[in-house]
């Protein structure tokens, strides 16, 4: 009864629950990313331990089990790892594109010059590391792996920032989240273009027709998610058969998802005001005015959130706590050997992330501000940007994803070692610098 009295103090409000703390999309995204980083780290360590244990052969062999399906003359066969990397990771990129769309339309990146700072930093964080890697590997067997050092791991970066708590300004989290999202989008475009196979133009045209159909369905007013997921699956099959990496499907569909809601608050309240709490006893049929009003209220309440927001709410926990850990478990296995530390690919990957990322982020940010393309918020000093640039060198998830495509079997372990070493160094160096700057009671000053 005590609980009932507490929730009935304001009868027009819903009962308070723990999830109310995560109601704002950005706050909820950060909370899930922070928790997901811990789960991702746990599965990464488990993969490393198992791949260096007496059960290593069995553990690594599980991911090579073959499976698939046939559609007409097209046969889709992959290893278990392949289905995770090509299929489940499509949902990861779909979520990344949804978050970017929401930020551009509804969030902090609505201001073009604010968005330009994150986009410029992300471009620098992709181009400079790739150029450094290419210079170090030019003419060598690992030259084709330049795309490995381009992306930043969103979950681990947000997890590292969470360790600093309120000692850093919220704008740094917004900046790093935006940078990482743009990084991921850029990286998957590189995968689709730079690491695709021979293009089958007929299948690509079929995929384009599928995307046009999705756009037309949205304009006409189809709002049921199942039909869109069915269309998305068919488009994925067509893109995969075209020779372009199928995960680009997630990016395209995510950016096409509407970010504007269908029902406004005003219309919602008008509909709710017509709801009758207790239908009269003589109306027993399901087709009554009261029940129709309740059905309209249910639809209106759902549609006050945009499709982007609703899909984020539904998919983010699954991506953060299932897909990404499963990807890490399947891909992070690496037989560790000190003899591989001096390998040229390992060093090139390490330098690309550890040096190229902070140099690229800082240089392109400075150029964007200097040229008047972007604005730098007063709370986001250059020292904070330097710390964020170091954290951007954590490229774990996307780096492993691209490395599996870019390197032959003989070099993949060397590339993984470079990714792990650079991620650990970047996390420690970035946290150390931000800890020195963000002393409690002494917020960063303008220009620092």
């Amino acid at each position: 009864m005590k609980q009932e009295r507490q929730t009935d103090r304001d009868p027009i409000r819903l009962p308070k629950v723990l999830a109310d703390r995560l109601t704002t999309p950005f706050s909820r995204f950060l909370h899930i990313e922070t928790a997901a980083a811990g789960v991702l780290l746990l599965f990464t360590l488990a993969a490393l331990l198992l791949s260096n244990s007496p059960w290593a052969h069995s553990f690594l062999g599980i991911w090579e089990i073959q499976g698939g399906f046939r559609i007409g003359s097209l046969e889709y066969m992959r290893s278990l790892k392949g289905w995770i990397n090509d299929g489940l990771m499509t949902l990861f990129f779909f979520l990344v594109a949804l978050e970017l769309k929401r930020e551009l339309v509804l969030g902090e990146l609505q201001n073009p010059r604010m968005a330009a700072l994150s986009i410029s930093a992300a471009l620098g964080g992709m181009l400079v590391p790739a150029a450094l890697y290419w210079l170090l590997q030019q003419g060598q067997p690992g030259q084709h792996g330049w795309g490995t050092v381009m992306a930043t791991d969103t979950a681990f970066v947000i997890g590292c920032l969470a360790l600093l708590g309120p000692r850093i300004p919220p704008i740094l989290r917004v900046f790093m989240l935006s940078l990482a999202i743009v990084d991921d989008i850029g990286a998957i475009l590189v995968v689709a273009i730079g690491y695709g196979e021979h293009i089958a133009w007929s299948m690509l045209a079929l995929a384009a027709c599928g995307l046009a159909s999705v756009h037309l369905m949205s304009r006409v007013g189809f709002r049921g998610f199942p039909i869109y997921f069915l269309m998305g699956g068919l488009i994925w099959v067509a893109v995969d058969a075209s020779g372009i990496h199928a995960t680009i499907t997630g990016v395209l569909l995510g950016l096409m998802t509407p970010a504007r809601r269908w029902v406004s608050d005003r219309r919602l309240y008008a509909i709710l005001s017509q709801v009758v709490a207790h239908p009269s006893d003589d109306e027993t049929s399901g087709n009554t005015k009261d029940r129709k009003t309740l059905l309209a209220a249910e639809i209106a309440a759902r549609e006050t959130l945009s499709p982007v927001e609703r899909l984020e709410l539904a998919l983010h926990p699954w991506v953060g706590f299932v897909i990404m850990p499963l990807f890490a478990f399947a891909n992070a296995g690496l037989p560790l050997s000190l003899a591989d530390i001096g390998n040229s690919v390992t060093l090139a990957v390490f330098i690309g992330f550890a040096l190229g990322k902070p140099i690229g982020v800082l240089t392109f940010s400075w150029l964007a501000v200097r040229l008047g393309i972007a604005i730098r918020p007063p709370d986001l000093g250059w020292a904070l940007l330097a710390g964020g640039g170091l954290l951007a060198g954590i490229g774990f998830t996307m780096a492993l994803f691209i490395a599996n495509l870019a390197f032959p079997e003989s070099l993949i372990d060397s590339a993984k070692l470079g990714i792990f070493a650079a991620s650990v160094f970047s996390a420690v160096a970035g946290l150390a610098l931000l800890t020195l700057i963000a002393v409690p009671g002494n917020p960063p000053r303008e220009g620092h």
Side-chain angles (χ1 to χ4, degrees), residues 195-242:
Y195 296 108
E197 301 170 359
H198 176 71
I199 296 177
W201 293 103
S202 59
M203 298 306 295
L204 196 59
L206 185 61
C209 290
L211 292 170
S213 299
V214 168
H215 177 70
L216 181 61
M217 287 162 55
S218 176
R219 293 296 297 270
V220 169
F222 286 94
R223 289 185 172 80
F225 286 160
I227 190 171
Y228 285 106
F229 276 103
L230 175 62
M231 286 297 299
L234 295 175
I235 294 169
W236 184 93
V237 169
V239 172
D240 187 59
S242 74

Side-chain angles (χ1 to χ4, degrees), residues 333-335 340 346 407-418 420:
L334 167 69
D340 293 330
T346 302
F407 291 100
E409 285 294 325
S410 59
L411 294 177
I412 186 65
D413 285 347
S414 298
K416 285 183 179 181
L417 185 58
F420 291 149

Side-chain angles (χ1 to χ4, degrees), residues 177-382:
L177 177 60
S178 305
L179 181 153
I181 290 170
V182 174
D183 252 358
D184 284 342
I185 295 290
I188 193 57
L189 291 175
V190 167
V191 166
I193 298 168
Y195 296 108
E197 301 170 359
H198 176 71
I199 296 177
W201 293 103
S202 59
M203 298 306 295
L204 196 59
L206 185 61
C209 290
L211 292 170
S213 299
V214 168
H215 177 70
L216 181 61
M217 287 162 55
S218 176
R219 293 296 297 270
V220 169
F222 286 94
R223 289 185 172 80
F225 286 160
I227 190 171
Y228 285 106
F229 276 103
L230 175 62
M231 286 297 299
L234 295 175
I235 294 169
W236 184 93
V237 169
V239 172
D240 187 59
S242 74
I244 294 177
H245 203 274
T247 46
I248 192 66
T249 308
V251 174
L252 296 174
L253 291 174
L255 293 176
M256 289 175 63
T257 304
R260 299 293 182 185
R261 54 186 180 168
W262 184 42
V263 177
S264 66
D265 287 340
R266 182 178 178 181
R267 184 179 292 273
L268 172 66
Y269 296 143
I271 292 172
L272 290 178
S273 68
Q274 301 301 312
V275 173
V276 178
H278 300 287
S280 57
D281 293 335
D282 59 341
E283 292 184 315
T284 56
S285 170
N287 191 27
T288 65
K289 180 180 178 181
D290 296 327
R291 291 177 183 271
K292 288 180 179 178
T293 305
L294 286 169
L295 179 60
E298 177 190 359
I299 296 172
R302 182 178 69 242
E303 295 293 344
T304 50
L305 287 177
S306 69
V308 160
E309 292 171 298
R310 286 161 56 201
L311 285 168
E312 271 194 279
L313 288 169
L315 290 177
H316 198 184
W318 287 99
V319 171
F321 298 120
V322 178
I323 293 176
M324 289 178 64
L326 187 58
F327 171 85
F329 203 45
N331 290 273
L334 167 69
L336 295 175
S337 172
L338 294 178
D340 293 330
I341 293 178
N343 185 282
S344 63
V345 169
T346 302
L347 291 175
V349 170
F350 180 87
I351 291 171
F353 276 123
L355 294 181
K357 277 288 183 181
I359 292 171
V361 168
L362 271 177
T363 302
F364 275 61
S365 297
W366 181 84
L367 285 173
V369 172
R370 184 81 174 184
L371 295 173
I373 299 171
I375 55 174
R376 179 178 61 84
D379 290 343
L380 191 60
W382 291 111

